[in-house]
Each structure stands twice: as C-alpha cells, then as structure tokens.
Amino acid sequence: MLWAPLGAGETFALEYHLTAGQPEPCHGRWFRRAGQHLDLTVRFAPGTGVGQAYRVWRLDGASPHKDVATLRVIDDRVHLADYDVPPGFHGIRWNP
C-alpha cells in the first residue's frame, strides 16, 4: 500500500525497537530547519533500572552532546515533547 505525503500540521506515530548493547545510550532525531515539532518517547524493558535521563542537543555531528534538562523516568518510560525546535540533534540520553 502506498501512503500519501503528510500535509501541513499532520503527524504520524512511528515505533521501532533498539537492542541492548548500543555503543551510546542515547536516542533522538536530527532537525535541519527550525520550527518543527519534537515528540519522543523511550520505553525501557521492565526492570532495566535506568538511573537518570537527560534531554540532549548538539548542533552538528562534530559537536558533543550537551545536557539541556533532566527528564523523569516514569513507569520505565521517558517522554520529551517540544515545539519550534532549533536545528540540530535533539534527543534523550540515559544512565543505565
């Protein structure tokens, strides 16, 4: 089935799974232009014991991640939503 492109203001929920053993405990998205909406949820396997989570940002691939804010882990999930994000990488980093 082919899908039509999203129109202005439309959203689409996408879910995928990451396996343990990733080289860096971080997940996020790149935004090439300002003014976009970010809605990101990371769900951990029950009993994973995630200690702390942080919102991170970096301007480009050569810059290190900067912790922007501390996020709460609730029921093995971390959620981040923001409007009008500046360009760059926005994501969630956590301490196992």
Side-chain angles (χ1 to χ4, degrees):
M1 169 185 279
L2 295 176
W3 296 91
L6 294 176
E10 288 185 295
T11 62
F12 182 79
L14 174 68
E15 181 177 340
Y16 55 96
H17 299 268
L18 300 173
T19 57
Q22 295 288 328
E24 182 175 5
C26 183
H27 183 64
R29 302 287 300 160
W30 283 100
F31 291 88
R32 302 208 185 285
R33 63 185 195 285
Q36 297 184 55
H37 173 72
L38 168 66
D39 191 352
L40 179 63
T41 301
V42 177
R43 183 175 58 195
F44 302 97
T48 304
V50 174
Q52 188 65 54
Y54 305 91
R55 177 180 180 163
V56 296
W57 175 83
R58 67 179 173 171
L59 179 60
D60 55 41
S63 303
H65 286 126
K66 295 180 184 178
D67 291 345
V68 177
T70 301
L71 302 173
R72 293 190 332 158
V73 180
I74 301 172
D75 294 330
D76 297 317
R77 291 187 176 118
V78 177
H79 182 74
L80 170 60
D82 199 356
Y83 294 90
D84 197 22
V85 297
F89 176 87
H90 296 266
I92 297 173
R93 174 181 77 79
W94 57 91
N95 294 332

